[in-house]
Amino acid sequence: MNTAIKGLHHVTSLASDAAQNNRFFTRTLGLRRVKKTVNFDAPEVYHLYYADGAGTPGTVMTYFPFPGARRGRRGTGEAGETAFAIPQGASAFWQERLAAAGVSGIAAEERFGERRLSFAGPDGDGFALVETAADGRTPWTGADVPEEAAIRGFHSVTLTLREAGPTEALLEGWGYAAAGEEGRLRRLALAGGNGAHILDIVVASDAPPAEQGAGSVHHIAFAVEDRAAQAKVQEALAAAGHQVTPVIDRDYFYAIYFRSPGGVLFEVATHEPGFDRDEAPERLGEALKLPKQHAHLRAELERHLPPIGD
Ligand code: ZN
């Protein structure tokens, strides 16, 4: 068994409007924008990162806002819901706050004995806030959300798959273990994980494949400590027949990617070097940061990229 995986590192999704996306995450959800950069492959599009105060792996929600992008369609082969952990008893605060912000689809539910509030993001993104006992992670409190209600980081993602078996086998190889079944839901959890170490799988064998667009998760990334641990995961994946990419330098982490058996794009990303490699911790997310291969485009990008506010 390969135990290098710690849980989630980040979740990356698609949006249709950068300013709206920034407002939703920094104002409504009260996360910190820890990086404002551009898509490596499409530098005319932002890559925005929202997280705790430091950009700790397991708390990092990232977006590619393609202006005017069409909404995605829900289906199989995707991460259909991203859940954030909140302290026990904080649902009432959030129910009121989300409603006041005009958020749609707010519903109080219970899953595996945990109270949760599901809701839709600005592009119909599937989100939930889950009350979690004993989450020791320190939240960002720079917004107006009180510490006793603030988001601690990811709780889990829910994968919607035609069949669970091959994806479960892959995750079990990383140390995840079955942690419950409820209706069509199967829960996997990683002992000793980083707080973002739960994955739920909903089996929808009769549903059509998802179509990616605004509001869809593009990929989910799992965390490893460093490049040495990543190399071991990469080697094991290749040995098991997965088509895994070479290591790609993403400036704030090193990444490898592969298509998981259920169709969801998986990434394995390192803790190193982190989001403070090019900005002081107290200034994270303020300046437009460009990957070095796009540095020569700065003047053009600063003219072209829409303003998004603080
Ligand atoms: Zn990624």
Side-chain angles (χ1 to χ4, degrees), residues 9-12 47 49 62 64 218-222 250 253 255-257 265-269:
H9 184 288
H10 62 272
V11 175
T12 295
H47 192 182
Y49 291 75
T62 100
F64 298 131
H218 183 266
H219 64 268
I220 65 171
F222 294 85
R250 291 305 191 196
F253 46 86
I256 57 173
Y257 303 85
L265 184 61
F266 280 8
E267 174 183 344
V268 177

Side-chain angles (χ1 to χ4, degrees), residues 236-252:
L237 286 169
H242 297 286
Q243 298 289 318
V244 57
T245 67
V247 176
I248 300 171
D249 179 356
R250 291 305 191 196
D251 282 351
Y252 310 105

Side-chain angles (χ1 to χ4, degrees), residues 23-31 90-103 106 117 129 142-146 149-151:
R23 206 163 48 240
F24 183 75
F25 281 94
T26 61
R27 302 286 165 83
T28 305
L29 295 187
L31 299 183
S91 285
F93 168 88
W94 283 104
Q95 189 145 17
E96 196 172 315
R97 184 179 175 90
L98 296 176
V103 170
I106 305 168
L117 215 51
L129 296 170
D144 65 343
V145 178
I151 288 172

